[in-house]
Amino acid sequence: MSFALTTCSTTDLSHEYLKSRDIGVVFFHFQLGEKEYPDDMGVSVTPKELFRRMLDGEDTKTSQVTMGEYMEFFEPILKEGKDILHIAFSSGLSGSYNSARLAAEDLAPQYPDRKIYVVDSLAASTGHGLVVDKAADLRDEGKSIDEVRDWIEANKNRAHHWFFSTDLTFFIRGGRVSKTAGTIGTLLGICPLLNVNDEGKLIPREKIRGKKKVITRIVEMMEAHAENGLDYTGKVYISNSDCYDDARAVADLIESKFTKMNGKVQIYSIGATIGSHTGPGTVALFFWGDERER
C-alpha cells in the first residue's frame, strides 16, 4: 500500500475485518475489577463476560492511549517507509485524538520525508468504524493519502450516530442520569434516545416510553436523515451491548424499508471502552446522511 491506514480499537469492528482490510489498530485500555486489560475487541474479555461482571458489581474504568503509546505504534510503520493516515476516536469523547496529534508532531522531525496525518473522526463505536471503512474503500480505489484525508475531513460529519438504551443502571451509576430520574424512568420503561452531534459529543435527544416505540423511532431518525432517504444506497452498521435481539429488531425494520442499501445491516458488539460506560442494553445505529447538527 502507498500508505498505512490506522485507527483505534474504539471502532468496535472485528479483528477479522481490520485484518482483511489491512487496517492497523492501537488499543485503548480498561480496568475491570482489580485488573487492567487492553480493549482488544473482545479477545482478552468477551463482551458477554464484560457485561456479566459489570452487572455482578465489578467496577470499570477506561483509559485512553497515551502520546508515548502512539509514538511506539507509529514509529515502526514510519521505519518501513510508509506514510500514515490515522483516524482517531472522537475528540468530543476522549483526549486520545490530541495524544495522537502530539505524537505525530514529535515524530515528524525524525522522519521528514514521511507524512503523518491524524484525523479526528468525531465518531464513536461502529460510527467510527463506518468512517474508517470508507477511508479503506477510497484507499483501495487508488486514492492518495491526501485525497483520502481530505474526503474524510469534508464528510465525517455526515456519519450519523443514533443510540438508545433499555437499561438505565449504568447511566445512573456513571452520574449521567440522577438516581431519582433513573428510578422513575426505569419504572415507566423510559428509553433515552441520543445521538452524536457535530462536535463528536453524545447528546440526549428524546425520552421514549417502551422498547417497541424507541425501535420505531430510531429507524424514523434514519428515514429523516439518511442520504437519499428511503433510497439510501450506503452501508448500515449497528452495535449493541449484550442485547442482540433488540439490534436485530432494528436491523430487520431497516432492511424492510431501505431496500437499496449496500448489503445487509452489519451488527457488531460494543467494545469495552464504550461498553464500560453504557453497560448492557444499548443499541447504536450508524449510516451516512445529512450534516449532523449541534
Side-chain angles (χ1 to χ4, degrees):
M1 295 298 174
S2 59
F3 64 92
L5 177 62
T6 64
T7 191
C8 309
S9 57
T10 47
T11 58
D12 290 346
L13 297 170
S14 66
H15 274 285
E16 293 75 16
Y17 168 87
L18 293 169
K19 184 177 180 180
S20 71
R21 298 304 304 272
D22 194 23
I23 300 169
V25 59
V26 61
F27 300 142
F28 274 55
H29 314 277
F30 70 101
Q31 184 174 320
L32 179 61
E34 300 299 320
K35 187 175 179 180
E36 182 172 285
Y37 302 89
D39 179 8
D40 52 8
M41 291 95 82
V43 174
S44 297
V45 179
T46 66
K48 187 166 287 294
E49 181 184 355
L50 169 69
F51 298 122
R52 176 187 62 77
R53 290 171 64 178
M54 288 176 70
L55 287 171
D56 286 344
E58 290 192 58
D59 291 332
T60 57
K61 295 179 181 178
T62 58
S63 57
Q64 64 193 41
V65 183
T66 66
M67 176 183 166
E69 287 173 317
Y70 276 116
M71 292 179 70
E72 291 176 3
F73 176 68
F74 290 151
E75 191 158 26
I77 301 170
L78 298 170
K79 286 181 176 179
E80 290 178 10
K82 290 185 177 182
D83 298 332
I84 298 172
L85 174 59
H86 182 78
I87 302 178
F89 186 41
S90 173
S91 63
L93 298 170
S94 168
S96 57
Y97 161 70
N98 195 49
S99 296
R101 182 182 59 79
L102 291 172
E105 290 177 359
D106 201 68
L107 287 167
Q110 302 174 51
Y111 299 91
D113 297 328
R114 298 272 61 84
K115 295 176 180 177
I116 316 171
Y117 294 149
V118 178
V119 174
D120 180 0
S121 69
L122 298 178
S125 192
T126 43
H128 185 185
L130 193 66
V131 174
V132 172
D133 175 80
K134 182 62 179 180
D137 287 345
L138 293 170
R139 177 203 61 189
D140 294 350
E141 290 169 10
K143 302 293 186 185
S144 69
I145 187 172
D146 292 271
E147 289 174 316
V148 177
R149 178 200 60 178
D150 292 348
W151 192 96
I152 297 299
E153 288 286 15
N155 291 277
K156 62 190 180 184
N157 250 321
R158 296 196 303 106
H160 272 256
H161 303 49
W162 291 90
F163 301 72
F164 70 78
S165 181
T166 59
D167 187 336
L168 300 179
T169 301
F170 291 91
F171 286 79
I172 299 168
R173 191 176 295 180
R176 290 178 295 279
V177 175
S178 71
K179 187 172 183 179
T180 300
T183 300
I184 294 172
T186 299
L187 291 172
L188 295 176
I190 297 296
C191 301
L193 180 68
L194 312 91
N195 79 337
V196 169
N197 72 359
D198 64 340
E199 295 182 321
K201 297 178 180 178
L202 191 59
I203 306 296
R205 296 299 185 186
E206 298 179 10
K207 298 175 182 177
I208 298 171
R209 189 171 182 179
K211 185 188 297 185
K212 289 184 178 179
K213 288 183 179 179
V214 78
I215 288 172
T216 299
R217 186 59 176 156
I218 200 171
V219 177
E220 288 175 350
M221 292 297 102
M222 183 171 172
E223 292 180 43
H225 295 285
E227 185 177 35
N228 299 320
L230 291 173
D231 291 328
Y232 178 70
T233 57
K235 295 180 182 179
V236 179
Y237 288 173
I238 290 176
S239 57
N240 76 100
S241 54
D242 201 27
C243 52
Y244 178 84
D245 289 346
D246 294 341
R248 186 68 256 171
V250 174
D252 288 344
L253 187 55
I254 289 171
E255 289 173 358
S256 71
K257 288 176 174 286
F258 296 85
T259 58
K260 298 180 180 179
M261 65 183 180
N262 186 351
K264 296 290 187 180
V265 175
Q266 298 181 52
I267 301 177
Y268 294 92
S269 293
I270 289 176
T273 298
I274 296 169
S276 292
H277 299 282
T278 68
T282 295
V283 173
L285 168 64
F286 310 98
F287 56 88
W288 292 103
D290 54 12
E291 288 278 338
R292 302 196 312 244
E293 298 178 350
R294 186 62 48 90

